[in-house]
Amino acid sequence: AMSTEEDKTATPAVADGYKEQIMAKVEEAKAKFLVKMDALAEVDQIKMIAEKAQQPPKTVAMGLTGVGIFVALMFALFAVGMKMLLELSVYIPAVIKSIKAIESKEKDDDTELLSFWVVYCFFTICDPLIGMVFFWVPYFGLVKFLFLQYCYRFKGTLLITKTVLKPLYAKITSAMK
């Protein structure tokens, strides 16, 4: 039997030649990248920036490429991924609180959380429709996040339940009778 120290440092078995294949592909990609950087370093604007910065043109080309990639990744995070991060920052604490509420014997926290989940599910199900209606509102995702935070943190769903959901439920059930 191997000791605990050996378990932490043991490397998994790799098929013969697999590591060499991967390293060859990495070197090939690196060579292609450097060729593109050499070509980019020949652009007049890059040469002008390199001259003013007193740096080799290839270094400036690599730096501008890195900045471009960074800006693209930040745009992807904030424009696309931020919605998911905001929703998870509401969802995860609510799940944790729900599990605690299930384990507790009090009824008040159950009612509060059920109201929250009804509102949250409404927003999740209606999100495509709401997005089409409010696409023109700048930072609508942030507004939705703030609303859901209000519902979760400040018991806003109880107000929504009393003023919107219960009257709507009463109308729907009376129309069904």
Side-chain angles (χ1 to χ4, degrees):
M2 292 178 18
S3 72
T4 308
E5 191 64 34
E6 289 173 347
D7 288 344
K8 291 179 185 175
T9 58
T11 359
V14 178
D16 291 337
Y18 190 67
K19 183 176 179 182
E20 289 77 19
Q21 288 176 346
I22 292 174
M23 291 308 292
K25 287 185 180 187
V26 168
E27 288 300 321
E28 182 183 329
K30 182 179 171 185
K32 285 181 182 179
F33 176 77
L34 291 175
V35 167
K36 288 186 180 192
M37 290 302 106
D38 287 336
L40 190 58
E42 296 300 317
V43 174
D44 291 336
Q45 289 86 352
I46 299 290
K47 287 181 180 179
M48 186 176 67
I49 294 170
E51 187 179 304
K52 287 185 179 184
Q54 298 176 350
Q55 294 292 322
K58 189 172 183 178
T59 303
V60 172
M62 290 175 137
L64 289 174
T65 302
V67 167
I69 291 170
F70 177 77
V71 168
L73 288 174
M74 288 297 106
F75 176 76
L77 172 69
F78 289 113
V80 179
M82 185 56 83
K83 179 182 176 186
M84 182 180 291
L85 290 174
L86 292 176
E87 286 184 11
L88 285 175
S89 68
V90 173
Y91 181 78
I92 291 173
V95 167
I96 293 169
K97 192 173 180 181
S98 296
I99 291 169
K100 289 180 181 176
I102 290 169
E103 294 173 350
S104 77
K105 296 193 188 294
E106 297 175 26
K107 183 184 180 292
D108 292 341
D109 55 355
D110 296 347
T111 305
E112 176 189 336
L113 283 165
L114 281 172
S115 298
F116 170 77
W117 286 118
V118 167
V119 172
Y120 184 84
C121 288
F122 172 79
F123 267 97
T124 302
I125 291 169
C126 296
D127 195 36
L129 178 65
I130 293 169
M132 286 190 304
V133 173
F134 291 107
F135 73 93
W136 52 271
V137 176
Y139 304 107
F140 177 70
L142 185 60
V143 171
K144 178 182 155 189
F145 163 74
L146 292 173
F147 174 74
L148 289 173
Q149 283 292 342
Y150 162 74
C151 289
Y152 174 69
R153 306 254 183 230
F154 303 108
K155 300 181 182 180
T157 50
L158 294 177
L159 175 68
I160 292 168
T161 301
K162 288 177 188 172
T163 59
V164 178
L165 295 178
K166 280 187 179 180
L168 185 63
Y169 175 75
K171 285 182 182 179
I172 291 172
T173 53
S174 67
M176 293 172 69
K177 288 182 182 180

